[in-house]
Amino acid sequence: MKISISKTHLSEAIQHVSKAISSRTTIPILGGIKFDVAYHGVTLTASDTDISIQSFIPAEEGNKTVVTVEKVGSVVLPAKFFVEIIKKLPTQEIEMEVGSGFQTFIRAGATDIQLVGLDPEEFPVLPSIEENRILSVPGDLLRHMIRQTVFSISTQETTPILTGVMWSLKEGQLKFVATDRHRLATRTVRLEGSEDLEFNNIVISGKTLNELSKIIPDQNTLVEIVVADNQVLFKVDRVLFYSRILDGLYPDTSKIIPSSHKTRLLLDTKNLSDSIDRAYLLSREEKTNIVRMQTLEEGGVEISSSSTELGRVKEEIELAEFEGEQLRLSFNSKYMLDVLKVIESEQLTIRFTGVMSPIIIEPTDDSNSLYIILPYRTTN
């Protein structure tokens, strides 16, 4: 293998695939990036068994030569060192040559580096996925859907299925659900042209989805999604992103969404967020995150929290609308702030069915999003 390659293109490809490299792997080959050089371009691959990412660098882009290939071949290079080395090379043109025993020589300007490579035959083979049924989702929409749900996943590995976001597609409706049993986030969108596709209980790790979000470009690129038996393939430009589907059956969350309410509040999103954020400062010091909310007889809502060491914070905010019974409850302020951060509408509705029943939060201009937080039982 012998090539001359653009540093800019190589760095971009490395940035994509390095998201699949685990620093804690006990298998040395998985700590590397695999290079496959052909005359039409270079393919970089990285994998940690849960996710695999492949990025292709074409030999030519437009009228510009990106890669000059003198000799085809393959090698696996240690990612930790290779990533840092490429960043620090002094010139835009990089020469790479693989000698006997996979010894790899990297040259840029007056810099000459030698790396010990590994046998590419030992690198795991990427999953084989039939691409006969493809779901296309606009990249910015997919990023939004991930952002608006992934914060509600569980961080407890004792229930692996809850560390992911559940995907379902039926009659053209794509739905994401995430819960850690204390809170829940759902986001639904209608996708034109996907009516003939259907799947359910496809659970993808939240960590994986966060990494996928970083790969999706800012411009409105279509992401092609292929669902197989135990893998999902995401195709973004020249990047292939493979993710393992989590094993297990996701719980039926529809049963915990109340269909009626006793109290309904309409509030300004920013006012509520700012007020709870201030109350969170004290509740965080108390390590409980508990903030109290109560409706007032004369109108408005009181938000309060206290700390035995620091004191108490209390403030009133206006209500745009109120209907039903007066209410006093306590909740995890961090959970509430996580929801408020992803709500983009100026106003939101909060519904309650009782003091210890789920708190339902809905943006007023987005009927496709719904959030639930379970309240705390407190003595005062």
Side-chain angles (χ1 to χ4, degrees):
M1 168 187 148
K2 187 175 181 182
I3 60 171
S4 175
I5 190 167
S6 154
K7 178 181 174 180
T8 302
H9 288 77
L10 180 58
S11 296
E12 184 181 352
I14 290 170
Q15 188 178 354
H16 289 324
V17 301
S18 61
K19 292 175 174 57
I21 297 167
S22 171
S23 57
R24 299 190 301 272
T25 182
T26 55
I27 307 169
I29 199 81
L30 294 183
I33 296 173
K34 183 185 178 189
F35 281 75
D36 289 300
V37 174
Y39 286 110
H40 64 285
V42 179
T43 302
L44 277 64
T45 310
S47 177
D48 69 355
T49 68
D50 285 333
I51 64 172
S52 302
I53 303 176
Q54 195 169 76
S55 184
F56 178 68
I57 305 170
E60 292 185 358
E61 192 174 66
N63 297 321
K64 186 179 178 183
T65 300
V66 177
V67 186
T68 302
V69 179
E70 289 188 39
K71 187 178 178 183
V72 300
S74 301
V75 70
V76 177
L77 297 177
K80 182 179 177 182
F81 301 104
F82 185 73
V83 170
E84 291 302 317
I85 285 168
I86 297 302
K87 283 181 188 174
K88 299 179 190 303
L89 289 179
T91 63
Q92 271 298 318
E93 187 172 317
I94 299 169
E95 293 180 11
M96 294 178 63
E97 183 177 1
V98 178
S100 61
F102 302 106
Q103 293 289 320
T104 303
F105 303 90
I106 301 168
R107 305 180 187 95
T111 305
D112 198 329
I113 297 163
Q114 183 176 340
L115 276 182
V116 178
L118 298 170
D119 185 352
E121 292 297 319
E122 296 177 12
F123 200 83
V125 177
L126 289 183
S128 177
I129 294 180
E130 289 186 22
E131 298 182 25
N132 52 355
R133 302 178 76 194
I134 297 174
L135 174 69
S136 295
V137 182
D140 58 344
L141 175 60
L142 182 57
R143 270 208 322 268
H144 267 79
M145 291 184 72
I146 292 170
R147 178 174 171 263
Q148 291 168 339
T149 52
V150 75
F151 64 87
S152 285
I153 64 166
S154 172
T155 56
Q156 303 299 317
E157 295 294 336
T158 50
T159 51
I161 197 72
L162 295 185
T163 63
V165 176
M166 196 275 284
W167 296 36
S168 62
L169 178 66
K170 188 174 183 180
E171 297 176 353
Q173 292 269 7
L174 177 64
K175 184 176 184 179
F176 286 11
V177 178
T179 184
D180 63 1
R181 291 202 175 99
H182 302 288
R183 54 181 169 171
L184 177 140
T186 69
R187 177 73 162 86
T188 309
V189 67
R190 169 161 286 283
L191 296 175
E192 299 297 332
S194 64
E195 289 79 10
D196 60 332
L197 294 174
E198 187 171 317
F199 54 74
N200 190 40
N201 201 59
I202 301 299
V203 185
I204 304 172
S205 159
K207 179 183 173 185
T208 295
L209 291 175
N210 280 328
E211 295 300 342
L212 174 65
S213 286
K214 297 172 188 174
I215 284 176
I216 300 171
D218 290 337
Q219 63 267 33
N220 198 11
T221 307
L222 271 182
V223 178
E224 294 185 342
I225 303 168
V226 185
V227 177
D229 290 339
N230 62 350
Q231 292 276 341
V232 179
L233 167 62
F234 301 91
K235 301 176 77 173
V236 188
D237 287 339
R238 297 192 185 102
V239 178
L240 303 182
F241 188 111
Y242 296 82
S243 170
R244 183 176 66 85
I245 295 172
L246 296 182
D247 295 327
L249 191 63
Y250 205 81
D252 183 3
T253 57
S254 62
K255 296 175 182 175
I256 67 172
I257 301 174
S259 56
S260 61
H261 60 268
K262 294 180 179 178
T263 305
R264 185 183 72 87
L265 312 177
L266 180 64
L267 298 126
D268 180 274
T269 305
K270 188 176 187 309
N271 286 348
L272 179 62
S273 180
D274 290 348
S275 178
I276 292 176
D277 201 14
R278 287 185 284 268
Y280 170 62
L281 293 174
L282 263 67
S283 67
R284 182 184 62 191
E285 289 300 314
E286 197 70 5
K287 295 183 172 58
T288 62
N289 290 338
I290 292 177
V291 164
R292 294 169 179 81
M293 172 190 283
Q294 71 176 94
T295 54
L296 303 172
E297 292 286 348
E298 62 273 18
V301 173
E302 181 183 280
I303 305 292
S304 65
S305 70
S306 59
S307 164
T308 51
E309 292 184 3
L310 295 176
R312 178 180 176 86
V313 59
K314 180 172 70 173
E315 64 179 276
E316 293 180 20
I317 57 174
E318 293 182 2
L319 275 172
E321 289 180 19
F322 169 76
E323 68 174 47
E325 302 174 1
Q326 295 290 336
L327 192 78
R328 177 187 174 94
L329 53 78
S330 303
F331 54 83
N332 185 315
S333 53
K334 185 182 181 305
Y335 287 179
M336 182 67 82
L337 287 171
D338 285 344
V339 170
L340 297 175
K341 284 174 188 172
V342 301
I343 290 179
E344 296 173 353
S345 66
E346 292 184 2
Q347 291 185 314
L348 57 85
T349 299
I350 299 182
R351 296 187 286 122
F352 311 91
T353 55
V355 176
M356 289 311 297
S357 297
I359 304 167
I360 307 145
I361 307 145
E362 296 168 286
T364 54
D365 63 358
D366 180 9
S367 60
N368 296 315
S369 298
L370 183 142
Y371 306 96
I372 288 179
I373 298 172
L374 294 181
Y376 276 130
R377 188 183 298 277
T378 56
T379 55
N380 53 15

